[in-house]
Amino acid sequence: MRILAIETSCDETAIALVRASGGLKSPKFKVLKNVVASQIETHRPWGGVVPNLAKREHLKNLPLIFNQILKTINYKLKPDLLAVTIGPGLKPCLWSGIGFTKEIYRKLKIENPKLKIIGVNHLEGHLYSFLLTNKLTKLKAKNLFPAVALIVSGGHTILLLMESLIKWKKLGETRDDAVGESFDKVARMLNLPFPGGPEIEELAKSGNSGAINFPRPMINRKNYDFSFSGLKTSVLYYLREHSTTKREDVAASFEQAAVETLVTKTMRAAKECKVKSVMLSGGVAANKLLRKELETQSSLLKTNFFAPSMAFNTDNAAMIATAAYISYLRKKNRKISAQSNLNL
Ligand code: KG4
Ligand code: ZN
């Protein structure tokens, strides 16, 4: 089936057309079109995402991207399923995507009365984004589970134990700031522009990650919860007390502390739960140090490691299509209305 997915939960307006097959036993995806209109430049002067500006940009971008995609698809590529993110996210942004999807659903249904529409959980989109990697085609779904999945974004830090593609248990999550949020906040302290994650990563390249011993919050606690607010505050105090410090050393040492915390807890869970795979997703999964560390540790443990290719870490609609396919197969009929606090 072909799925046209729409994602507007935060500051990226994204539409993708994805071909899905294989069912729940071995789902396969081919991304036919994947367009993301980034609003970074709009929000940069404000140092973060401004919900009403984001909504305005979504309303402007959605018809432009949709028409761009329509022009390139011929009749044979018409979608069988429309998918839209219903949460979690910023309410005005979610509504702009939902309103637009319902509008095109009414129009496309005239030609194709069998067309269906489905609401998607954004976090399931990140979780299933590993299904967009080529590496997976060599492996069968039954050899993947149990698995631990680490979802790290601007709003969430969640560790899951997946028994199967559709059955999971939350092992832990952040008690305060999400890890992406802490990258963004530390970047602001270092006068780096928004979003902070890629900026910190870039600056850290020329710094010494052992220069400052920032705390690794809750690293020795037995549970799988995280806390990143204390780490951010330590950076703030350090900068106040050391005005002549090298910014690149601060960036590298902060990145090291954040990554080490995530990797230690994830790999402890992987060992204790005797998993076959480790999966990483969300915007922070773009971080090369995090990817490299998890990959190395997974190979030492002889477990598979999956992280989406670069285009599918930060918010995109292809990942929404993967979650839509799985929800559709499970006959999940969510109400299509904005749910800003939706969780896994
Ligand atoms: O998944 P995402 O695009 O949006 C949410 O669902 O929140 O994640 C965005 C977050 C931002 O906090 C951004 O700073 C972070 O992902 N991020 C990174 C990197 N690229 C994006 N953090 C660390 N290193 C990166 N390379
Ligand atoms: Zn996201």
Side-chain angles (χ1 to χ4, degrees), residues 184-192 232-233 235-236 239:
D184 295 335
K185 287 178 175 167
V186 168
R188 208 175 304 160
M189 294 174 202
L190 294 171
N191 295 321
L192 295 167
K232 166 201 72 188
T233 312
V235 177
L236 181 70
L239 285 169

Side-chain angles (χ1 to χ4, degrees), residues 16-125:
L17 182 68
V18 173
R19 191 168 64 218
S21 61
L24 284 176
K25 282 218 171 98
S26 67
K28 286 186 188 60
F29 300 93
K30 180 157 175 54
V31 180
L32 304 169
K33 292 276 163 209
N34 184 47
V35 184
V36 181
S38 169
Q39 302 179 5
I40 286 176
E41 293 310 323
T42 308
H43 300 289
R44 201 160 251 174
W46 309 95
V49 179
V50 185
N52 280 327
L53 280 183
K55 174 187 161 189
R56 188 193 73 189
E57 290 297 298
H58 287 313
L59 292 175
K60 189 180 84 191
N61 290 334
L62 280 166
L64 296 177
I65 306 179
F66 181 64
N67 288 333
Q68 186 187 334
I69 290 190
L70 264 197
K71 259 188 222 151
T72 59
I73 59 176
N74 58 35
Y75 182 75
K76 282 188 186 152
L77 289 179
K78 291 265 164 70
D80 308 294
L81 177 66
L82 294 187
V84 61
T85 303
I86 54 166
L90 302 167
K91 236 183 188 153
C93 299
L94 291 165
W95 275 121
S96 56
I98 291 170
F100 183 78
T101 312
K102 285 188 173 169
E103 191 184 310
I104 59 172
Y105 175 67
R106 278 192 293 273
K107 283 186 193 150
L108 297 177
K109 208 171 156 58
I110 299 169
E111 268 181 53
N112 176 11
K114 284 190 182 153
L115 183 70
K116 298 200 168 51
I117 181 166
I118 195 166
V120 176
N121 180 331
H122 180 87
L123 292 171
E124 287 186 16

Side-chain angles (χ1 to χ4, degrees), residues 7 9-12 88 122-123 126 151-156 178-184 194-202 255 281-288 290 310 313-316 319:
E7 153 65 40
S9 67
C10 193
D11 60 337
E12 316 281 13
H122 180 87
L123 292 171
H126 280 304
I151 307 172
V152 276
S153 70
H156 296 85
V179 64
E181 190 181 349
S182 74
F183 269 86
D184 295 335
F194 169 85
E199 301 286 337
I200 297 240
E201 177 166 42
E202 189 54 34
E255 185 186 46
S281 63
V284 185
N287 185 277
K288 293 193 189 61
L290 178 60
M310 277 322 209
N313 293 301
T314 44
D315 291 348
N316 64 87
M319 71 180 198

